[in-house]
Amino acid sequence: MYCQSNDELLELVNEARKVAKDGKVADYIPALGKANPGDLAVAIHYPDGTCLSAGDIERKITLQSISKVISLALVLMDRGYEHVFHHVGMEPTGDPFNSIAKLETMDVAKPLNPMINAGALAVTHLIIGSNVAERLQRLLKFIQTMAGNPDIGYCQEVAQSEFETAFLNRALCYFLKEHGIIKEDVEQLLDLYTKQCAIEMNCLDLARIGLVFAMDGVDPDSKAQVIPKDVARICKTFMVTCGMYNASGEFAIKIGIPAKSGVSGGIMGAVPRKFGIGVFGPALDEKGNSIAGIKFLEQLSRNYSLSMF
Ligand code: GLU
């Protein structure tokens, strides 16, 4: 039996919130620095439509790196396995998300996986459409379908703030362009990528998306296969091997569910065939994961034996 009530969830939230003071809000994207470090919101979405939530659930978060799993799913559907993995690898790095180091030491200069920034930029490059607006619209439509919420959009302030300060991501793009991994104009790709990262929703929407991954790509209401099963499987595997930055190994041992985090303090979890989880707690630990969010998930996993291993 899993968590049954909002009160049960609230108890876990109140306990986990205590560690938020030990974390720090990301401010390398200036607009993210405005978040309240003490916030914590969680939601659980079950396949029967039940949705539990607790904490500061009215807050909206930008997806940041969580968007990388979703753009990967879209691009695998658009372009197919061979084409995508010609541009990006499948191996965890153990390096920080924005590291350029491995690109230079590899024989073929292709990013090691789609969850680090270099790999995510290569994936976003593959989103089909005739211009940035059309490509973003396709991604948004896909996300709206998975969340069951047609109102999801992106936060212009956060997108603009990242676009103006994304010097490292520009460097990654130029490196990838030099090596033929990306072919489009770098400013255009960054425009799309920063808007993708700024896609905004609350933790209930996030849990609903996690649920679609958890259910092997099937929409829990319409029962439509919105992501092919194999694509959902690939995405969840990346979530396990590199979804939680260079703390993915520790997360797999301590919590043991496919999950993806972002520097905004969001975490999307997909407990296979059971439920989806959305978490938002902007104070981050030293690896860049929501410190209170991790604490919450640790307790949740322990209480309900969620580890898949
Ligand atoms: N937009 C962020 C960046 O590219 C995403 C990073 C993250 O959430 O890990 O730096």
Side-chain angles (χ1 to χ4, degrees):
M1 193 52 80
Y2 304 113
C3 190
Q4 294 273 18
S5 68
N6 289 342
D7 287 348
E8 231 174 299
L9 214 50
L10 187 61
E11 243 177 76
L12 297 179
V13 165
N14 288 340
E15 200 45 43
R17 206 196 284 271
K18 291 179 188 161
V19 302
K21 61 175 186 340
D22 302 326
K24 202 175 158 307
V25 169
D27 55 8
Y28 77 97
I29 298 173
L32 292 184
K34 294 181 182 170
N36 175 9
D39 281 351
L40 182 62
V42 307
I44 290 183
H45 217 300
Y46 291 107
D48 70 357
T50 312
C51 187
L52 303 178
S53 58
D56 309 287
I57 54 169
E58 70 292 348
R59 296 275 194 282
K60 280 192 171 177
I61 46 165
T62 56
L63 290 179
Q64 299 303 330
S65 272
I66 301 170
S67 69
K68 294 172 180 173
V69 193
I70 307 171
S71 56
L72 175 66
L74 180 65
V75 157
L76 280 166
M77 288 159 67
D78 273 358
R79 307 270 194 175
Y81 183 95
E82 295 294 332
H83 188 82
V84 171
F85 292 113
H86 178 72
H87 290 80
V88 67
M90 301 181 189
E91 300 302 333
T93 68
D95 295 330
F97 68 98
N98 54 6
S99 175
I100 201 165
K102 288 260 165 49
L103 284 180
E104 258 212 303
T105 58
M106 303 290 290
D107 281 347
V108 184
K110 91 175 171 187
L112 274 167
N113 70 68
M115 300 295 116
I116 51 171
N117 281 6
L121 288 159
V123 165
T124 298
H125 167 61
L126 297 177
I127 297 177
I128 290 177
S130 53
N131 52 42
V132 167
E134 193 182 312
R135 290 156 84 196
L136 180 68
Q137 219 29 60
R138 290 191 61 244
L139 180 64
L140 270 172
K141 186 96 204 33
F142 184 53
I143 288 180
Q144 289 164 353
T145 304
M146 273 192 280
N149 178 357
D151 297 328
I152 288 172
Y154 75 96
C155 173
Q156 239 157 348
E157 185 196 352
V158 171
Q160 183 67 25
S161 178
E162 179 169 10
F163 186 80
E164 285 167 3
T165 53
F167 306 115
L168 199 48
N169 282 337
R170 276 188 176 78
L172 291 171
C173 285
Y174 280 112
F175 189 93
L176 295 174
K177 192 162 178 172
E178 166 71 22
H179 292 275
I181 304 281
I182 67 167
K183 296 186 175 68
E184 70 180 299
D185 175 68
V186 167
E187 293 304 300
Q188 175 181 301
L189 175 56
L190 272 174
D191 183 21
L192 178 57
Y193 175 77
T194 50
K195 286 173 178 158
Q196 165 191 318
C197 289
I199 292 174
E200 195 178 39
M201 63 185 65
N202 63 30
C203 63
L204 286 84
D205 295 323
L206 194 57
R208 175 68 158 69
I209 299 175
L211 176 62
V212 174
F213 282 109
M215 301 311 285
D216 299 330
V218 174
D219 183 291
D221 296 323
S222 69
K223 309 287 183 240
Q225 189 83 47
V226 290
I227 308 173
K229 188 172 177 188
D230 212 38
V231 170
R233 179 185 62 78
I234 293 169
C235 291
K236 277 184 284 190
T237 312
F238 276 121
M239 287 161 79
V240 170
T241 56
C242 26
M244 303 300 286
Y245 303 114
N246 40 336
S248 298
E250 187 180 345
F251 188 87
I253 286 173
K254 291 189 175 161
I255 296 162
I257 62 170
K260 180 73 200 91
S261 66
V263 286
S264 52
I267 305 176
M268 176 179 77
V271 187
R273 283 166 286 284
K274 296 193 172 84
F275 52 85
I277 308 175
V279 177
F280 172 53
L284 307 181
D285 62 20
E286 71 287 353
K287 297 273 176 71
N289 293 309
S290 167
I291 191 164
I294 296 273
K295 187 90 194 155
F296 163 78
L297 289 171
E298 249 177 62
Q299 202 52 51
L300 189 79
S301 176
R302 201 170 306 140
N303 287 4
Y304 303 103
S305 307
L306 299 182
S307 177
M308 56 193 281
F309 300 107

PDB file of all heavy atoms in Angstrom, residues 28-29 63-66 68 97 117 162 169 193 197 245 261-264, ligand 1:
ATOM      1  N   TYR A  28      23.307  31.044 -10.861  1.00  0.00           N
ATOM      2  CA  TYR A  28      24.110  31.313 -12.064  1.00  0.00           C
ATOM      3  C   TYR A  28      23.208  31.706 -13.231  1.00  0.00           C
ATOM      4  O   TYR A  28      23.641  32.328 -14.189  1.00  0.00           O
ATOM      5  CB  TYR A  28      25.015  30.110 -12.400  1.00  0.00           C
ATOM      6  CG  TYR A  28      24.312  28.956 -13.064  1.00  0.00           C
ATOM      7  CD1 TYR A  28      24.334  28.801 -14.438  1.00  0.00           C
ATOM      8  CD2 TYR A  28      23.586  28.033 -12.310  1.00  0.00           C
ATOM      9  CE1 TYR A  28      23.671  27.752 -15.055  1.00  0.00           C
ATOM     10  CE2 TYR A  28      22.927  26.981 -12.911  1.00  0.00           C
ATOM     11  CZ  TYR A  28      22.962  26.844 -14.282  1.00  0.00           C
ATOM     12  OH  TYR A  28      22.295  25.809 -14.889  1.00  0.00           O
ATOM     13  N   ILE A  29      21.907  31.309 -13.128  1.00  0.00           N
ATOM     14  CA  ILE A  29      20.893  31.907 -13.996  1.00  0.00           C
ATOM     15  C   ILE A  29      20.214  32.928 -13.087  1.00  0.00           C
ATOM     16  O   ILE A  29      19.487  32.552 -12.154  1.00  0.00           O
ATOM     17  CB  ILE A  29      19.876  30.859 -14.495  1.00  0.00           C
ATOM     18  CG1 ILE A  29      20.590  29.785 -15.337  1.00  0.00           C
ATOM     19  CG2 ILE A  29      18.750  31.521 -15.291  1.00  0.00           C
ATOM     20  CD1 ILE A  29      19.714  28.609 -15.746  1.00  0.00           C
ATOM     21  N   LEU A  63      11.364  23.837 -15.700  1.00  0.00           N
ATOM     22  CA  LEU A  63      11.856  22.458 -15.752  1.00  0.00           C
ATOM     23  C   LEU A  63      13.379  22.352 -15.717  1.00  0.00           C
ATOM     24  O   LEU A  63      13.928  21.404 -15.194  1.00  0.00           O
ATOM     25  CB  LEU A  63      11.360  21.764 -17.026  1.00  0.00           C
ATOM     26  CG  LEU A  63       9.881  21.440 -17.099  1.00  0.00           C
ATOM     27  CD1 LEU A  63       9.574  20.779 -18.443  1.00  0.00           C
ATOM     28  CD2 LEU A  63       9.459  20.499 -15.962  1.00  0.00           C
ATOM     29  N   GLN A  64      14.060  23.320 -16.329  1.00  0.00           N
ATOM     30  CA  GLN A  64      15.518  23.233 -16.483  1.00  0.00           C
ATOM     31  C   GLN A  64      15.908  21.847 -17.006  1.00  0.00           C
ATOM     32  O   GLN A  64      15.342  21.383 -17.966  1.00  0.00           O
ATOM     33  CB  GLN A  64      16.225  23.621 -15.172  1.00  0.00           C
ATOM     34  CG  GLN A  64      15.918  25.055 -14.738  1.00  0.00           C
ATOM     35  CD  GLN A  64      16.268  26.089 -15.797  1.00  0.00           C
ATOM     36  OE1 GLN A  64      17.182  25.914 -16.598  1.00  0.00           O
ATOM     37  NE2 GLN A  64      15.529  27.188 -15.853  1.00  0.00           N
ATOM     38  N   SER A  65      16.804  21.157 -16.296  1.00  0.00           N
ATOM     39  CA  SER A  65      17.301  19.886 -16.858  1.00  0.00           C
ATOM     40  C   SER A  65      16.250  18.784 -16.938  1.00  0.00           C
ATOM     41  O   SER A  65      16.464  17.789 -17.632  1.00  0.00           O
ATOM     42  CB  SER A  65      18.485  19.373 -16.041  1.00  0.00           C
ATOM     43  OG  SER A  65      19.669  19.919 -16.554  1.00  0.00           O
ATOM     44  N   ILE A  66      15.147  18.934 -16.222  1.00  0.00           N
ATOM     45  CA  ILE A  66      14.096  17.899 -16.319  1.00  0.00           C
ATOM     46  C   ILE A  66      13.593  17.841 -17.768  1.00  0.00           C
ATOM     47  O   ILE A  66      13.207  16.787 -18.273  1.00  0.00           O
ATOM     48  CB  ILE A  66      12.940  18.191 -15.339  1.00  0.00           C
ATOM     49  CG1 ILE A  66      13.459  18.247 -13.899  1.00  0.00           C
ATOM     50  CG2 ILE A  66      11.838  17.140 -15.465  1.00  0.00           C
ATOM     51  CD1 ILE A  66      12.439  18.763 -12.894  1.00  0.00           C
ATOM     52  N   LYS A  68      15.223  17.820 -20.297  1.00  0.00           N
ATOM     53  CA  LYS A  68      16.109  17.036 -21.169  1.00  0.00           C
ATOM     54  C   LYS A  68      15.552  15.634 -21.448  1.00  0.00           C
ATOM     55  O   LYS A  68      15.765  15.075 -22.519  1.00  0.00           O
ATOM     56  CB  LYS A  68      17.501  16.919 -20.530  1.00  0.00           C
ATOM     57  CG  LYS A  68      18.245  18.261 -20.427  1.00  0.00           C
ATOM     58  CD  LYS A  68      19.518  18.110 -19.615  1.00  0.00           C
ATOM     59  CE  LYS A  68      20.262  19.435 -19.503  1.00  0.00           C
ATOM     60  NZ  LYS A  68      21.420  19.342 -18.588  1.00  0.00           N
ATOM     61  N   PHE A  97      27.216  18.714 -14.666  1.00  0.00           N
ATOM     62  CA  PHE A  97      26.327  18.753 -15.827  1.00  0.00           C
ATOM     63  C   PHE A  97      26.811  19.649 -16.961  1.00  0.00           C
ATOM     64  O   PHE A  97      26.505  19.427 -18.113  1.00  0.00           O
ATOM     65  CB  PHE A  97      24.917  19.202 -15.390  1.00  0.00           C
ATOM     66  CG  PHE A  97      24.830  20.628 -14.944  1.00  0.00           C
ATOM     67  CD1 PHE A  97      24.380  21.617 -15.806  1.00  0.00           C
ATOM     68  CD2 PHE A  97      25.186  20.996 -13.662  1.00  0.00           C
ATOM     69  CE1 PHE A  97      24.285  22.939 -15.408  1.00  0.00           C
ATOM     70  CE2 PHE A  97      25.101  22.320 -13.247  1.00  0.00           C
ATOM     71  CZ  PHE A  97      24.661  23.299 -14.122  1.00  0.00           C
ATOM     72  N   ASN A 117      24.665  18.910 -20.247  1.00  0.00           N
ATOM     73  CA  ASN A 117      24.275  20.007 -21.127  1.00  0.00           C
ATOM     74  C   ASN A 117      24.700  19.793 -22.583  1.00  0.00           C
ATOM     75  O   ASN A 117      23.912  20.047 -23.500  1.00  0.00           O
ATOM     76  CB  ASN A 117      24.838  21.330 -20.615  1.00  0.00           C
ATOM     77  CG  ASN A 117      24.009  21.875 -19.468  1.00  0.00           C
ATOM     78  OD1 ASN A 117      23.087  21.216 -18.997  1.00  0.00           O
ATOM     79  ND2 ASN A 117      24.330  23.067 -19.012  1.00  0.00           N
ATOM     80  N   GLU A 162      18.581  33.306 -18.725  1.00  0.00           N
ATOM     81  CA  GLU A 162      19.585  32.290 -19.081  1.00  0.00           C
ATOM     82  C   GLU A 162      20.231  32.616 -20.426  1.00  0.00           C
ATOM     83  O   GLU A 162      21.445  32.483 -20.577  1.00  0.00           O
ATOM     84  CB  GLU A 162      18.957  30.877 -19.117  1.00  0.00           C
ATOM     85  CG  GLU A 162      20.025  29.861 -19.516  1.00  0.00           C
ATOM     86  CD  GLU A 162      19.632  28.400 -19.351  1.00  0.00           C
ATOM     87  OE1 GLU A 162      18.450  28.113 -19.100  1.00  0.00           O
ATOM     88  OE2 GLU A 162      20.540  27.557 -19.485  1.00  0.00           O
ATOM     89  N   ASN A 169      27.268  27.346 -22.057  1.00  0.00           N
ATOM     90  CA  ASN A 169      26.483  26.578 -23.032  1.00  0.00           C
ATOM     91  C   ASN A 169      26.808  27.023 -24.460  1.00  0.00           C
ATOM     92  O   ASN A 169      26.814  26.204 -25.380  1.00  0.00           O
ATOM     93  CB  ASN A 169      24.981  26.717 -22.750  1.00  0.00           C
ATOM     94  CG  ASN A 169      24.548  25.821 -21.592  1.00  0.00           C
ATOM     95  OD1 ASN A 169      25.204  24.826 -21.287  1.00  0.00           O
ATOM     96  ND2 ASN A 169      23.453  26.175 -20.940  1.00  0.00           N
ATOM     97  N   TYR A 193      16.813  26.243 -26.688  1.00  0.00           N
ATOM     98  CA  TYR A 193      17.200  25.492 -25.481  1.00  0.00           C
ATOM     99  C   TYR A 193      16.812  26.244 -24.200  1.00  0.00           C
ATOM    100  O   TYR A 193      16.304  25.646 -23.248  1.00  0.00           O
ATOM    101  CB  TYR A 193      18.716  25.230 -25.522  1.00  0.00           C
ATOM    102  CG  TYR A 193      19.249  24.572 -24.270  1.00  0.00           C
ATOM    103  CD1 TYR A 193      19.068  23.213 -24.043  1.00  0.00           C
ATOM    104  CD2 TYR A 193      19.952  25.310 -23.305  1.00  0.00           C
ATOM    105  CE1 TYR A 193      19.561  22.602 -22.891  1.00  0.00           C
ATOM    106  CE2 TYR A 193      20.441  24.712 -22.156  1.00  0.00           C
ATOM    107  CZ  TYR A 193      20.239  23.356 -21.957  1.00  0.00           C
ATOM    108  OH  TYR A 193      20.715  22.766 -20.804  1.00  0.00           O
ATOM    109  N   CYS A 197      14.205  24.992 -21.349  1.00  0.00           N
ATOM    110  CA  CYS A 197      14.536  24.876 -19.922  1.00  0.00           C
ATOM    111  C   CYS A 197      13.602  25.720 -19.064  1.00  0.00           C
ATOM    112  O   CYS A 197      13.423  25.447 -17.871  1.00  0.00           O
ATOM    113  CB  CYS A 197      15.985  25.291 -19.683  1.00  0.00           C
ATOM    114  SG  CYS A 197      17.176  24.093 -20.321  1.00  0.00           S
ATOM    115  N   TYR A 245      22.430  14.090 -11.862  1.00  0.00           N
ATOM    116  CA  TYR A 245      23.790  14.620 -11.989  1.00  0.00           C
ATOM    117  C   TYR A 245      24.804  13.562 -11.548  1.00  0.00           C
ATOM    118  O   TYR A 245      24.549  12.367 -11.678  1.00  0.00           O
ATOM    119  CB  TYR A 245      23.946  15.924 -11.184  1.00  0.00           C
ATOM    120  CG  TYR A 245      22.951  16.985 -11.596  1.00  0.00           C
ATOM    121  CD1 TYR A 245      21.963  17.407 -10.729  1.00  0.00           C
ATOM    122  CD2 TYR A 245      22.987  17.545 -12.862  1.00  0.00           C
ATOM    123  CE1 TYR A 245      21.048  18.387 -11.097  1.00  0.00           C
ATOM    124  CE2 TYR A 245      22.076  18.518 -13.247  1.00  0.00           C
ATOM    125  CZ  TYR A 245      21.109  18.930 -12.363  1.00  0.00           C
ATOM    126  OH  TYR A 245      20.204  19.878 -12.739  1.00  0.00           O
ATOM    127  N   SER A 261      16.411  15.537 -12.144  1.00  0.00           N
ATOM    128  CA  SER A 261      16.324  16.804 -11.419  1.00  0.00           C
ATOM    129  C   SER A 261      16.773  17.962 -12.291  1.00  0.00           C
ATOM    130  O   SER A 261      17.336  17.767 -13.370  1.00  0.00           O
ATOM    131  CB  SER A 261      17.162  16.733 -10.141  1.00  0.00           C
ATOM    132  OG  SER A 261      18.515  16.623 -10.495  1.00  0.00           O
ATOM    133  N   GLY A 262      16.515  19.163 -11.812  1.00  0.00           N
ATOM    134  CA  GLY A 262      16.930  20.372 -12.521  1.00  0.00           C
ATOM    135  C   GLY A 262      17.433  21.408 -11.534  1.00  0.00           C
ATOM    136  O   GLY A 262      17.090  21.340 -10.344  1.00  0.00           O
ATOM    137  N   VAL A 263      18.205  22.375 -12.011  1.00  0.00           N
ATOM    138  CA  VAL A 263      18.786  23.376 -11.110  1.00  0.00           C
ATOM    139  C   VAL A 263      17.743  24.308 -10.484  1.00  0.00           C
ATOM    140  O   VAL A 263      18.052  25.055  -9.556  1.00  0.00           O
ATOM    141  CB  VAL A 263      19.863  24.255 -11.789  1.00  0.00           C
ATOM    142  CG1 VAL A 263      21.150  23.502 -11.987  1.00  0.00           C
ATOM    143  CG2 VAL A 263      19.371  24.850 -13.078  1.00  0.00           C
ATOM    144  N   SER A 264      16.531  24.268 -10.986  1.00  0.00           N
ATOM    145  CA  SER A 264      15.459  25.054 -10.367  1.00  0.00           C
ATOM    146  C   SER A 264      15.023  24.410  -9.050  1.00  0.00           C
ATOM    147  O   SER A 264      14.272  24.995  -8.282  1.00  0.00           O
ATOM    148  CB  SER A 264      14.265  25.108 -11.314  1.00  0.00           C
ATOM    149  OG  SER A 264      13.935  23.781 -11.713  1.00  0.00           O
TER     150      SER A 264
HETATM  151  N1  GLU B   1      19.226  25.544 -18.249  1.00  0.00           N
HETATM  152  C1  GLU B   1      20.216  24.981 -17.372  1.00  0.00           C
HETATM  153  C2  GLU B   1      21.579  24.986 -18.015  1.00  0.00           C
HETATM  154  O1  GLU B   1      21.693  24.623 -19.152  1.00  0.00           O
HETATM  155  C3  GLU B   1      19.802  23.601 -17.011  1.00  0.00           C
HETATM  156  C4  GLU B   1      20.780  22.976 -16.069  1.00  0.00           C
HETATM  157  C5  GLU B   1      20.172  22.012 -15.110  1.00  0.00           C
HETATM  158  O2  GLU B   1      19.021  22.112 -14.708  1.00  0.00           O
HETATM  159  O3  GLU B   1      20.942  21.120 -14.746  1.00  0.00           O
HETATM  160  O4  GLU B   1      22.538  25.359 -17.408  1.00  0.00           O
END
